[in-house]
Amino acid sequence: MIKISFLGGLGDFGKNMTVIEHGGALLVVDCGSMFPEADIPGIDLIIPDFSYVLDNADRLAGLVLTHGHEDHIGAAPFLLKRLPMPVFASRLTMGLLNRKLSEMGVEPTSRTILEPGRQVGAGPFTVEGIPVTHSIPDAMSLAIGTPEGTLLHTGDFKLDQTPLDHRLTHYDRLQELGRQGILAMLIDSTNVEIEGMVGSEIRVRDTLDRYISAQDTNKLIITLFSTNLMRIQAIYDLAAKYQKKVALFGRSLVQNTRVGEEVGYLHIPGGVSIAADEVSSYSPEDVIILVAGSQGEPQAAMTRVAFDECKNFGVEEGDHLILSARIIPGNEKRVARVINQVYRKGGEVVTARDDRVHVSGHGAQEEIKMMASWIRPKYYIPVHGELRQLKGNATLAKQMGYDDAHILVSDLGESLTFERGEFASRGEVPTGSWLIDGDDTDPVDRLVVRDRRHLSNDGVVVPIVVISRQEGRMESEPEIISRGYPTLEGATDTVDEVKSDLVAMVRSLSVQEIRDSSILKAKVKSTVKRTLKRNEARIPLIIPVVMEI
Amino acid sequence: MIKISFLGGLGDFGKNMTVIEHGGALLVVDCGSMFPEADIPGIDLIIPDFSYVLDNADRLAGLVLTHGHEDHIGAAPFLLKRLPMPVFASRLTMGLLNRKLSEMGVEPTSRTILEPGRQVGAGPFTVEGIPVTHSIPDAMSLAIGTPEGTLLHTGDFKLDQTPLDHRLTHYDRLQELGRQGILAMLIDSTNVEIEGMVGSEIRVRDTLDRYISAQDTNKLIITLFSTNLMRIQAIYDLAAKYQKKVALFGRSLVQNTRVGEEVGYLHIPGGVSIAADEVSSYSPEDVIILVAGSQGEPQAAMTRVAFDECKNFGVEEGDHLILSARIIPGNEKRVARVINQVYRKGGEVVTARDDRVHVSGHGAQEEIKMMASWIRPKYYIPVHGELRQLKGNATLAKQMGYDDAHILVSDLGESLTFERGEFASRGEVPTGSWLIDGDDTDPVDRLVVRDRRHLSNDGVVVPIVVISRQEGRMESEPEIISRGYPTLEGATDTVDEVKSDLVAMVRSLSVQEIRDSSILKAKVKSTVKRTLKRNEARIPLIIPVVMEI
């Protein structure tokens, strides 16, 4: 019997996680995170509820990662911290994971680099990575062998004939696997609503070439996903071509480029790289600044640059900001706020609506169908999408001749069971979301909470700051509401300390910062956290409330 | 001297409000609201900070409304409640305003219907409404005469040659006004990024005709803005043509269609209309249901239908949901959640991405330029947009030959002063956002708060409910955090009452409802409010917190 269980990535975009079982052993494919919507107070990250894996801790064959994006590896440190197990991944993916693990002080039991064309064993499974093109280098599809048949998980893929790293999809191997026979294929549905092919990354490089060559009086600020190392490489190469300098701003960018260099996926030309604090010693037209935070996150690099919170440089008249990234649904308002601010300062903004400054890493309809025609699996399982995309992908399968019995549209928390090479039944597995607060490595989860009778024991602190938007200042003393957090219960000294730290923090802000409730909320939270840390190791859930009057 | 002050609608979409001053008198143009982002706890509506108007209460000439959309009239009852003043609007706009006023128990001093071609006096101003096409009937541009020159405010407009109500834009009058000379034009910038013309509403009707004529086994559920009376009329007419029935679901839809009928802008054919509770007595293929809540608001009609919270009908296998509305940025996630749910239940969803089921009410580049070439104002003032759109509109003006000195890009809280027919200076006026909590008619604003030393006096209650997502039930007793609200301070009886009402409310919910934190949050808030109302007239700010574990 083979059982495939979906703990994330279906029914919603983000936190991809699939469990494959055979003969009593579990193989986990991907373990990603997602960012919460703005309205979950005090929560910074969402990871899959992987209690199903914890409950089967004695039967783990390992964790295989398809590529290094957050929605595929972001929750892996949380899983590996609880349950050390062998990890299988390509070189760059492993490098990005290692960075996360060392930040959180987690050590996996063994790490195996997946090399193209080589099968490795993982319990009763064999695992082979097949290189595919995507928006991060070293992405792979996975062929997962079991005694009852082979599964193919496409991972995230597109079919780019001119990828900037010149590493093409291994078409021959995919077709060979298809000829050998695939029981079931799990296939990326993200861009199923786009006709044709999604387009090559080279078109973005050509657009950026145009902007960099035309840059003659202004700074060029480019924001992109910090995992997009091919595009980052291209920008360094273009900078060298036009004798410009490149500075990085944002922790994830600095760290990911370092990993990229270490594992040999990024080659920074000599004399191009400068530090963020050197920007002001060059003429604006000689500097390209790459900034993280393309989704307009309040505390991230792009927002800080736009709102003059970066001490080294800001947006000045005539500067260009290029948004070389997709705006993830839900983030439109935050990004629009940044764009608005750049215009307010006399800058220009170029988005994917204006010019070809971004292209998706996920294949469109023709790419999905081409993959399917090579693999020709017995069962077609759309993954990586909301129900709309999964059903859209099922429609493509029907066009290709699959009947309803061989297309398995599934959902979060569902499992599909196969027996003797045939689909047998659907089932349910426990799943959902676990919420991560701040820098904690332990989720605010049911295992932690299980022994607690009451939220009051959890410890919650609600700092409330009242702001006069018009006058750009605090209207009254901050209020601290707390419950079940002994440090603050009755300890008026600490409460006063928190309050006076908040007052000092708000005094240090500009009127503009005070007026921006999302920035202010983040700062209220970090200030309270810092003050509490001085007094106690345990930090409660902090729910900052900013009221504008 | 003429002074134009922007209290809303520039630098952000929504809550449009402009003040025009001459000779010591103030004329207010539009007074709109906007919906808060999801992350402002306890706040249901945002209105402009109109303290500038309140501070000049003795010099008010009146309030003129361009059309009946929420972002133009939604804050008017709040203003008129504080400051009775004459109101000028077209027939339908006045009808929609009257409904709002009577709901809030507010009475304006005098109401004047603007008739095309007729100037009316308002203090030292003359006001004339010029019919323009938009996505609501009876929209108008305004010619505002002053002794120092005439201003033209386009309002929201497009140039639709085949509007469903056959009321064309009064081209001749606009051109006549242009020939007579316009000092400054305030012009809609919303769709400045779209080339060509935005397209006629008739294309949407033709698409809906296709879906309604093809409807043969399923219910057809159409969601749209409840002010879009022309499209609503078209659907009733199509229903009559194909012998279908139409039911309405959602308070705003029911009320706005009633206003539409009363003022003669909606003519419902006989025998077509049925009540929501009659839907189940007809075959699904004979029923079209119009639902409000196109933005996926948690408590609104569309969401309730998708999540089986409407007692009369739900989404069944094969049903179609047509999203005949624009998704306002910031609402993508909520709408996606509803779409996902419809697919989960076996329905189909048609959005503007799939088919021509929506067209914007705002003109694109060619329409903006055409309006400008008729009016040919001395000063060109882009309004109704974020900075990006305002600057984009300025670029169009440059293409038409305006120099920088005659294009006045302004921003929220700015004023522009003209003397002797020339632009003189920029200034600032106090502005910002006032926040409205629930059904209160008084904003949570600085005037109310002015006498309060402290937030604690404001009264705030934070009900916290901890939910086990996996088990779909409450994990522990609810916690009630309160501050400055005497009813709960030390009164354990009332606290216990609130808690037991919350427990009972959660018990009455389905697992699905409990898992949906946005629905649950709204229910927690309304439950607490109801319980408190039993004990005291004063209701505090309620900040519901739902924690999922």
Side-chain angles (χ1 to χ4, degrees):
Chain A
M1 188 189 85
I2 301 173
K3 182 177 170 188
I4 305 174
S5 303
F6 299 106
L7 302 186
L10 280 70
D12 201 357
F13 280 106
K15 63 174 175 65
N16 294 279
M17 186 171 187
T18 307
V19 176
I20 295 168
E21 281 174 82
H22 178 263
L26 269 70
L27 184 70
V28 181
V29 179
D30 287 338
C31 190
S33 59
M34 67 190 288
F35 294 103
E37 289 177 70
D39 64 347
I40 306 187
I43 295 301
D44 301 290
L45 201 66
I46 295 179
I47 65 173
D49 170 346
F50 45 66
S51 51
Y52 182 70
V53 180
L54 299 182
D55 292 344
N56 293 284
D58 49 327
R59 313 194 290 130
L60 285 170
L63 168 65
V64 201
L65 302 171
T66 57
H67 64 286
H69 278 149
E70 290 298 324
D71 58 334
H72 292 259
I73 72 166
F78 296 91
L79 177 65
L80 294 172
K81 190 184 180 216
R82 300 284 193 82
L83 283 182
M85 67 180 94
V87 180
F88 305 87
S90 66
R91 194 167 305 276
L92 177 66
T93 309
M94 195 67 88
L96 293 167
L97 176 69
N98 284 341
R99 174 176 74 74
K100 285 181 173 294
L101 293 177
S102 70
E103 271 178 19
M104 282 176 56
V106 180
E107 192 82 16
T109 44
S110 81
R111 310 179 205 192
T112 305
I113 300 293
L114 290 178
E115 304 284 0
R118 225 191 80 208
Q119 291 183 348
V120 295
F125 304 98
T126 61
V127 177
E128 176 185 343
I130 304 103
V132 290
T133 45
H134 185 43
S135 50
I136 185 171
D138 231 2
M140 290 182 154
S141 291
L142 300 175
I144 297 169
T146 81
E148 294 189 49
T150 304
L151 307 176
L152 192 117
H153 193 309
T154 68
D156 295 2
F157 77 98
K158 68 197 265 191
L159 301 175
D160 190 342
Q161 311 320 306
T162 49
L164 297 181
D165 63 357
H166 309 298
R167 170 182 166 280
L168 288 170
T169 297
H170 283 203
Y171 304 116
D172 51 348
R173 182 58 186 149
L174 288 169
Q175 293 176 53
E176 195 176 16
L177 284 164
R179 279 193 299 273
Q180 290 167 5
I182 296 291
L183 173 61
M185 172 173 69
L186 287 70
I187 181 165
D188 184 1
S189 310
T190 312
N191 276 339
V192 76
E193 300 186 63
I194 300 176
E195 288 180 14
M197 293 181 70
V198 83
S200 171
E201 182 69 24
I202 210 167
R203 298 177 60 182
V204 176
R205 189 191 64 186
D206 292 348
T207 309
L208 293 176
D209 188 327
R210 201 152 34 74
Y211 282 93
I212 292 171
S213 69
Q215 178 191 6
D216 58 357
T217 60
N218 58 287
K219 285 202 296 295
L220 196 57
I221 302 168
I222 303 175
T223 184
L224 36 53
F225 281 107
S226 58
T227 49
N228 200 329
L229 291 176
M230 293 171 287
R231 202 174 290 170
I232 292 170
Q233 177 74 60
I235 293 168
Y236 273 108
D237 292 343
L238 289 168
K241 175 176 168 189
Y242 293 109
Q243 287 94 50
K244 311 272 184 185
K245 303 293 177 190
V246 175
L248 302 180
F249 184 56
R251 183 165 157 275
S252 61
L253 256 179
V254 171
Q255 293 196 324
N256 285 345
T257 54
R258 191 173 303 149
V259 172
E261 282 195 277
E262 281 165 13
V263 297
Y265 281 88
L266 190 69
H267 306 278
I268 299 183
V272 167
S273 190
I274 62 171
D277 60 9
E278 293 179 280
V279 166
S280 56
S281 25
Y282 291 87
S283 297
E285 70 271 23
D286 291 334
V287 180
I288 301 165
I289 303 167
L290 301 188
V291 297
S294 60
Q295 303 303 302
E297 303 93 326
Q299 291 284 66
M302 180 174 77
T303 306
R304 289 167 60 199
V305 168
F307 285 90
D308 289 329
E309 296 193 341
C310 163
K311 67 176 189 299
N312 297 310
F313 49 83
V315 175
E316 287 159 300
E317 183 93 30
D319 284 353
H320 276 70
L321 172 66
I322 298 182
L323 274 159
S324 181
R326 168 175 177 252
I327 311 305
I328 296 172
N331 294 337
E332 292 82 354
K333 269 261 181 191
R334 309 206 277 202
V335 173
R337 201 169 56 88
V338 172
I339 291 176
N340 219 1
Q341 179 67 6
V342 171
Y343 277 107
R344 197 164 270 148
K345 304 185 84 180
E348 280 283 333
V349 181
V350 182
T351 74
R353 277 216 314 233
D354 305 309
D355 213 336
R356 194 73 181 190
V357 293
H358 177 65
V359 66
S360 172
H362 298 268
Q365 288 176 3
E366 294 307 317
E367 289 154 283
I368 293 169
K369 289 189 287 180
M370 215 174 289
M371 176 67 86
S373 66
W374 296 331
I375 302 300
R376 208 72 210 170
K378 186 162 175 183
Y379 293 99
Y380 189 102
I381 308 176
V383 298
H384 212 281
E386 298 179 343
L387 266 288
R388 180 179 168 93
Q389 282 78 38
L390 304 184
K391 296 223 177 183
N393 202 345
T395 302
L396 291 188
K398 269 177 218 164
Q399 290 171 9
M400 299 186 72
Y402 281 87
D403 61 21
D404 283 339
H406 291 82
I407 304 170
L408 303 175
V409 173
S410 196
D411 200 353
L412 184 71
E414 252 195 0
S415 66
L416 304 172
T417 307
F418 299 82
E419 296 199 49
R420 287 176 297 279
E422 299 284 340
F423 171 61
S425 65
R426 285 176 193 267
E428 280 196 15
V429 285
T431 189
S433 298
W434 278 346
L435 312 177
I436 305 294
D437 176 24
D439 313 320
D440 293 340
T441 55
D442 283 320
V444 181
D445 71 15
R446 69 184 188 96
L447 293 179
V448 173
V449 177
R450 187 178 279 167
D451 302 330
R452 297 180 183 176
R453 293 286 309 139
H454 218 262
L455 171 71
S456 63
N457 298 333
D458 246 336
V460 58
V461 172
V462 186
I464 301 173
V465 167
V466 186
I467 293 302
S468 159
R469 202 185 135 73
Q470 193 184 326
E471 288 153 57
R473 61 171 175 76
M474 190 144 43
E475 188 68 20
S476 65
E477 196 185 24
E479 191 59 47
I480 310 296
I481 295 173
S482 78
R483 206 72 167 200
Y485 184 66
T487 314
L488 293 182
E489 303 284 77
T492 54
D493 284 358
T494 312
V495 172
D496 289 343
E497 196 181 335
V498 173
K499 287 183 181 175
S500 67
D501 285 357
L502 282 173
V503 170
M505 181 276 291
V506 176
R507 282 225 183 93
S508 76
L509 298 181
S510 67
V511 167
Q512 203 161 40
E513 289 170 312
I514 290 175
R515 283 181 179 159
D516 188 317
S517 70
S518 49
I519 288 178
L520 184 56
K521 223 187 295 187
K523 285 195 185 276
V524 167
K525 187 177 173 186
S526 60
T527 302
V528 172
K529 193 177 241 175
R530 204 163 43 238
T531 311
L532 295 180
K533 268 192 181 154
R534 280 204 298 269
N535 292 281
E536 198 181 330
R538 192 162 74 92
I539 298 302
L541 182 66
I542 300 170
I543 304 176
V545 176
V546 171
M547 296 178 61
E548 287 189 345
I549 59 166
Chain B
M1 188 191 84
I2 300 172
K3 183 176 170 189
I4 305 174
S5 304
F6 299 104
L7 302 187
L10 279 71
D12 201 356
F13 280 105
K15 64 175 175 65
N16 294 279
M17 185 171 187
T18 306
V19 175
I20 295 168
E21 283 173 81
H22 178 264
L26 269 70
L27 185 70
V28 181
V29 179
D30 287 337
C31 189
S33 59
M34 67 191 286
F35 294 103
E37 290 177 70
D39 65 345
I40 305 185
I43 295 301
D44 300 288
L45 200 66
I46 297 179
I47 64 173
D49 170 347
F50 45 66
S51 50
Y52 182 71
V53 179
L54 299 182
D55 293 345
N56 293 285
D58 51 327
R59 309 194 288 130
L60 285 171
L63 168 66
V64 201
L65 302 171
T66 57
H67 62 287
H69 278 149
E70 290 297 324
D71 59 333
H72 292 259
I73 72 166
F78 298 90
L79 177 65
L80 294 172
K81 191 184 179 215
R82 299 286 193 81
L83 283 183
M85 67 180 94
V87 180
F88 305 86
S90 66
R91 193 166 306 275
L92 176 67
T93 309
M94 196 68 87
L96 292 168
L97 176 69
N98 284 342
R99 175 177 72 76
K100 285 182 174 294
L101 293 176
S102 70
E103 270 179 20
M104 281 176 58
V106 180
E107 193 81 15
T109 43
S110 80
R111 310 177 204 192
T112 306
I113 300 293
L114 291 178
E115 304 283 1
R118 224 191 80 210
Q119 290 184 348
V120 296
F125 304 99
T126 60
V127 177
E128 176 186 345
I130 304 102
V132 290
T133 46
H134 186 41
S135 50
I136 186 171
D138 231 4
M140 289 183 154
S141 291
L142 301 174
I144 298 168
T146 81
E148 293 189 49
T150 303
L151 307 177
L152 192 116
H153 193 309
T154 67
D156 295 2
F157 78 99
K158 68 197 267 190
L159 302 175
D160 190 341
Q161 311 320 306
T162 48
L164 297 182
D165 63 355
H166 310 297
R167 171 182 166 280
L168 288 170
T169 296
H170 283 201
Y171 303 117
D172 51 348
R173 182 59 185 148
L174 289 168
Q175 292 176 56
E176 194 176 18
L177 284 162
R179 279 192 299 274
Q180 290 167 5
I182 296 293
L183 173 61
M185 171 175 69
L186 288 69
I187 180 166
D188 183 1
S189 310
T190 312
N191 276 338
V192 75
E193 299 186 63
I194 299 175
E195 289 181 12
M197 292 181 72
V198 84
S200 170
E201 182 68 24
I202 209 169
R203 298 178 60 180
V204 175
R205 188 192 64 186
D206 292 348
T207 308
L208 293 177
D209 189 325
R210 200 151 35 74
Y211 282 93
I212 292 172
S213 68
Q215 179 191 4
D216 56 358
T217 60
N218 58 286
K219 285 201 297 294
L220 196 56
I221 303 168
I222 303 175
T223 183
L224 35 54
F225 282 107
S226 58
T227 49
N228 200 330
L229 291 176
M230 292 171 288
R231 202 174 291 172
I232 292 169
Q233 176 75 60
I235 292 169
Y236 273 107
D237 292 343
L238 289 168
K241 176 175 167 191
Y242 293 108
Q243 288 93 49
K244 311 271 183 185
K245 303 293 177 189
V246 175
L248 302 180
F249 184 55
R251 182 165 157 275
S252 61
L253 256 179
V254 171
Q255 293 195 325
N256 284 346
T257 52
R258 190 172 304 149
V259 172
E261 283 195 276
E262 281 165 12
V263 296
Y265 280 89
L266 190 68
H267 306 278
I268 298 184
V272 166
S273 191
I274 62 171
D277 59 9
E278 293 178 279
V279 166
S280 55
S281 24
Y282 291 87
S283 297
E285 70 270 22
D286 291 334
V287 180
I288 301 165
I289 304 166
L290 301 188
V291 298
S294 61
Q295 304 302 303
E297 303 93 329
Q299 292 285 67
M302 180 174 77
T303 306
R304 288 168 59 199
V305 168
F307 286 90
D308 289 328
E309 295 193 343
C310 164
K311 67 177 188 299
N312 297 310
F313 50 83
V315 175
E316 287 160 301
E317 183 92 30
D319 284 353
H320 276 70
L321 171 66
I322 298 182
L323 274 159
S324 182
R326 167 175 177 254
I327 310 306
I328 297 172
N331 294 338
E332 291 82 355
K333 270 259 181 193
R334 309 206 277 203
V335 173
R337 200 169 56 87
V338 172
I339 292 176
N340 218 0
Q341 180 66 7
V342 171
Y343 277 106
R344 198 163 270 149
K345 304 184 84 181
E348 281 284 332
V349 182
V350 183
T351 74
R353 277 216 314 233
D354 305 309
D355 213 336
R356 195 74 182 190
V357 293
H358 177 66
V359 64
S360 172
H362 299 268
Q365 288 177 3
E366 294 308 316
E367 288 153 284
I368 294 169
K369 289 188 287 181
M370 216 173 289
M371 176 67 87
S373 66
W374 296 332
I375 302 299
R376 208 73 209 169
K378 187 163 176 184
Y379 293 98
Y380 189 102
I381 308 175
V383 298
H384 212 279
E386 297 180 343
L387 266 287
R388 180 179 169 92
Q389 282 78 38
L390 304 183
K391 296 222 174 182
N393 201 346
T395 302
L396 290 189
K398 268 177 217 164
Q399 290 170 10
M400 298 188 72
Y402 281 88
D403 62 21
D404 283 338
H406 290 82
I407 304 170
L408 304 175
V409 174
S410 195
D411 200 352
L412 184 72
E414 249 194 3
S415 66
L416 304 172
T417 307
F418 299 82
E419 296 198 49
R420 287 176 297 279
E422 299 283 340
F423 171 61
S425 65
R426 284 176 195 266
E428 281 194 17
V429 286
T431 187
S433 298
W434 278 345
L435 312 178
I436 304 295
D437 176 23
D439 313 320
D440 294 340
T441 54
D442 282 321
V444 181
D445 72 15
R446 69 184 189 95
L447 293 178
V448 172
V449 177
R450 186 178 278 168
D451 301 331
R452 299 180 183 175
R453 293 287 310 141
H454 216 265
L455 172 70
S456 63
N457 300 333
D458 246 335
V460 60
V461 171
V462 186
I464 300 174
V465 166
V466 187
I467 292 301
S468 160
R469 201 185 137 72
Q470 194 184 327
E471 288 154 55
R473 60 171 177 75
M474 191 145 42
E475 188 68 20
S476 65
E477 197 187 24
E479 192 58 46
I480 309 297
I481 296 173
S482 79
R483 207 71 166 200
Y485 184 66
T487 312
L488 294 182
E489 303 283 77
T492 53
D493 284 359
T494 313
V495 171
D496 289 345
E497 195 181 337
V498 172
K499 285 183 184 179
S500 66
D501 285 357
L502 281 173
V503 170
M505 180 277 289
V506 175
R507 282 224 184 94
S508 77
L509 297 181
S510 67
V511 168
Q512 203 161 41
E513 289 170 314
I514 290 176
R515 282 184 179 155
D516 189 319
S517 71
S518 49
I519 287 178
L520 185 57
K521 224 187 295 187
K523 286 194 185 274
V524 167
K525 187 175 173 186
S526 60
T527 301
V528 172
K529 193 176 239 174
R530 203 162 44 236
T531 311
L532 296 179
K533 267 190 181 157
R534 280 205 299 269
N535 293 281
E536 199 181 331
R538 191 162 75 91
I539 297 302
L541 182 66
I542 299 170
I543 304 176
V545 176
V546 170
M547 295 178 58
E548 286 189 344
I549 60 168

